[in-house]
Amino acid sequence: MKSLLSSVAIAASLVVGAAGSANALDQIDWDMQSTYPGTLTQLGTLGKVLSERLNAVSGGEINLKFQEPGAIVPALEAFDAVASGAVQAAWSTPGYWTGKDTSLALFAAVPFGPRASEYIAWMKFGGGNELFDEVYSARGLFRLWHQVAALRGHRAGSLRLVPQGDQLRR
């Protein structure tokens, strides 16, 4: 299941409130408030895919219902809604919550920042995950961070062209 979650998520977070915890044997039926419309390529569609696949691989034991922006709370209130227990989970980017803690900008888009591989190395081996957990747990939240989305612009991150022919010798 870990590889499934890793393959469908992006640099968005699935934020889960402590109030939404359940025993291992309980059916989980949660609303996941999205800040992205389900039709938005990559950002919204992956939230829907996560919801559908999690339900499928759990045999219906985990029902994480994707909620369009504004369905339960306005999109930019999802962080506080999860923290208060009004919603069990949110599908978003930590960049939206920099007004709550400016360090969350490090976990969103960083213009002219590290390449995707460098960023992931920092997250996994350089203390990034621990810092991310510290920021969220201070608000009673748990987050799942999975993968860096393809960046647009200066550093294409995970988008690389493979050289062909003579270019390989350079």
Side-chain angles (χ1 to χ4, degrees), residues 25-87:
L25 300 176
D26 290 344
Q27 165 117 6
I28 297 174
D29 191 22
W30 286 356
D31 285 310
M32 180 176 68
Q33 177 64 66
S34 179
T35 57
Y36 308 112
T39 56
L40 181 62
T41 303
Q42 192 173 17
L43 299 174
T45 55
L46 285 177
K48 291 185 87 167
V49 167
L50 172 68
S51 175
E52 292 163 3
R53 290 191 180 170
L54 197 52
N55 189 327
V57 300
S58 71
E61 292 294 314
I62 301 173
N63 181 23
L64 188 64
K65 186 174 180 190
F66 180 91
Q67 298 287 352
E68 293 288 339
I72 300 173
V73 297
L76 298 180
E77 293 179 19
F79 186 95
D80 291 331
V82 175
S84 72
V87 177

Side-chain angles (χ1 to χ4, degrees), residues 59-146:
E61 292 294 314
I62 301 173
N63 181 23
L64 188 64
K65 186 174 180 190
F66 180 91
Q67 298 287 352
E68 293 288 339
I72 300 173
V73 297
L76 298 180
E77 293 179 19
F79 186 95
D80 291 331
V82 175
S84 72
V87 177
Q88 295 86 9
W91 178 256
S92 188
T93 173
Y96 285 159
W97 322 127
T98 55
K100 313 237 174 259
D101 190 315
T102 56
S103 69
L104 289 172
L106 294 171
F107 307 103
V110 180
F112 307 104
R115 289 185 174 97
S117 58
E118 296 166 332
Y119 185 78
I120 292 169
W122 171 69
M123 289 296 291
K124 288 189 170 195
F125 308 110
N129 274 322
E130 292 78 8
L131 178 60
F132 207 172
D133 287 339
E134 182 180 322
V135 172
Y136 273 64
S137 66
R139 290 158 178 79
L141 300 172
F142 173 79
R143 57 94 199 161
L144 298 173
W145 177 88
H146 304 287

